[in-house]
């Protein structure tokens, strides 16, 4: 993924930066996406995308590593928050092979995993088809990336 840090701030009412993600938002719970909100997008932002990725997952596939839990795109510039279990935007396919959000569920006894929730600010509104994979999505978005920032949560399965 291209890297374009910015002063955007991404927060959640479900967990604070580097704090534990509640079970409700995991594969062991209700498996619903957490509420997210962001502010201070770069000037010229016309759209957003959200990605949740676990770089601690012991998985290498398609030239990448980790596990993709959520791809959400086609979010217009006026959307700066997502409700819990949101239906806003267009879902991509996660690494379980399903559309939409697939919550944290690291292998038992694998220790604490970190989950990076990224918000990407884009210089254009997008109308991409449902079901893109992470490589397909990034190929479309990287030329339009104005800035990005992240919220990191953790989860451990004992």
């Amino acid at each position: 993924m291209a890297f374009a840090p910015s002063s955007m701030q991404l927060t959640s009412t479900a967990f604070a930066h580097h704090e534990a993600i509640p079970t409700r938002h995991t594969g062991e719970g209700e498996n619903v996406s957490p509420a997210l909100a962001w502010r201070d997008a770069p000037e010229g932002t016309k759209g957003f995308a959200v990605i949740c990725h676990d770089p601690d997952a012991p998985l290498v596939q398609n030239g990448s590593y980790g596990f993709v839990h959520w791809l959400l795109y086609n979010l217009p510039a006026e959307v700066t928050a997502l409700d819990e279990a949101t239906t806003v935007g267009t879902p991509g396919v996660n690494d379980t092979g399903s559309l939409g959000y697939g919550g944290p569920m690291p292998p038992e006894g694998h220790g604490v995993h970190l989950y990076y929730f990224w918000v990407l600010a884009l210089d254009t509104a997008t109308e991409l088809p449902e079901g893109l994979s992470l490589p397909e999505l990034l190929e479309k978005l990287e030329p339009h990336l104005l800035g990005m920032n992240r919220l990191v949560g953790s989860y451990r399965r004992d």
Side-chain angles (χ1 to χ4, degrees):
M1 176 164 43
F3 193 65
S6 75
S7 60
M8 266 192 310
Q9 299 297 308
L10 177 61
T11 59
S12 177
T13 54
F15 62 95
H17 190 56
H18 280 287
E19 296 295 327
I21 297 169
T23 302
R24 172 178 176 74
H25 303 291
T26 73
E28 293 185 293
E30 294 176 44
N31 205 26
V32 294
S33 62
L36 298 173
W38 54 90
R39 65 180 194 278
D40 301 329
E43 189 173 328
T45 297
K46 303 267 194 297
F48 296 101
V50 172
I51 296 169
C52 178
H53 178 255
D54 170 8
D56 298 321
L59 181 65
V60 176
Q61 61 181 2
N62 303 320
S64 188
Y65 67 95
F67 196 92
V68 175
H69 287 271
W70 194 22
L71 300 173
L72 189 66
Y73 43 92
N74 296 339
L75 299 168
E78 58 271 9
V79 172
T80 58
L82 299 171
D83 293 334
E84 179 180 88
T86 188
T87 58
V88 174
T90 302
V93 66
N94 61 44
D95 281 344
T96 68
S98 301
L99 286 175
Y101 182 78
M105 196 162 144
E108 287 187 38
H110 202 258
V112 175
H113 280 220
L114 298 178
Y115 297 85
Y116 288 71
F117 288 81
W118 291 95
V119 62
L120 286 65
L122 309 169
D123 68 2
T124 188
T126 57
E127 293 184 23
L128 300 171
E130 179 177 88
L132 295 178
S133 67
L134 181 60
E136 292 168 332
L137 181 63
L138 292 178
E139 180 183 329
K140 301 290 187 190
L141 297 185
E142 283 180 343
H144 302 287
L145 189 59
L146 291 175
M148 58 197 292
N149 215 328
R150 70 191 183 280
L151 170 67
V152 180
S154 63
Y155 191 70
R156 174 190 192 119
R157 242 177 115 202
D158 294 316

